[in-house]
Amino acid sequence: MTYNLLMPSRLSPYLSFKDNAREAMEFYKSVFGGKLTISSFKDFGASKDPSQDNLVMHSALEAEGIVFMGSDTPSDMPHRPGASISMALSGDDVAELTGYYNKLSAGGKVAMPLDNAPWGDMFGSFTDKFGIEWLVNIALPKTS
């Protein structure tokens, strides 16, 4: 008997903020309820200077039928209000998500090649040939 233990891939909106992601995501939690997780740049050892320590590197709100994520835009990256949504693909099927990454990024502009990330998963980002920003996160098995 074989069991498919992979979680299905899912597509989620990803909101970009300028220094107020924590406030925004806490507000959305007050509206939708659910579970909110927030990690700072410092939590992942990814601060480029102390002013980034408490900025949100990643947050996720999961409520009944609602899932979306958000982060602060670091000072060395452009923040474009009104164009602050990225498509986020995540799951643990390496072959499927790598295939999506390769097909969607073809003809586009890769910002981060798909590679190991500080949080222990694989991550990559790009803008596709139509100007849509994509984030791909592949959950890898955690070792104790």
Side-chain angles (χ1 to χ4, degrees):
M1 184 179 289
T2 356
Y3 294 96
N4 182 359
L5 300 177
L6 298 175
M7 74 176 164
S9 299
R10 67 181 183 194
L11 180 65
S12 307
Y14 205 106
L15 307 175
S16 296
F17 300 93
K18 188 64 177 168
D19 303 337
N20 62 350
R22 185 178 307 273
E23 177 185 357
M25 295 301 287
E26 287 172 351
F27 168 74
Y28 298 136
K29 183 185 185 318
S30 77
V31 172
F32 297 114
K35 179 183 175 191
L36 174 63
T37 56
I38 297 177
S39 300
S40 69
F41 281 88
K42 184 177 182 179
D43 292 337
F44 287 116
S47 296
K48 293 185 180 174
D49 65 63
S51 68
Q52 291 183 344
D53 283 356
N54 294 317
L55 293 179
V56 175
M57 183 172 170
H58 177 72
S59 64
L61 177 62
E62 297 185 48
E64 189 67 33
I66 296 170
V67 176
F68 64 93
M69 298 171 267
S71 66
D72 283 308
T73 304
S75 58
D76 61 336
M77 293 177 68
H79 178 69
R80 298 178 317 273
S84 58
I85 294 178
S86 300
M87 301 301 284
L89 276 168
S90 58
D92 60 3
D93 187 327
V94 176
E96 178 181 57
L97 289 161
T98 299
Y100 290 153
Y101 179 95
N102 291 336
K103 290 174 186 174
L104 289 165
S105 64
K109 182 178 179 189
V110 172
M112 293 182 71
L114 191 59
D115 202 355
N116 293 327
W119 53 92
D121 294 342
M122 288 180 68
F123 178 81
S125 63
F126 58 90
T127 302
D128 70 19
K129 62 185 175 183
F130 300 104
I132 303 299
E133 292 183 19
W134 291 84
L135 311 170
V136 178
N137 190 86
I138 304 172
L140 298 177
K142 305 299 180 217
T143 57
S144 310

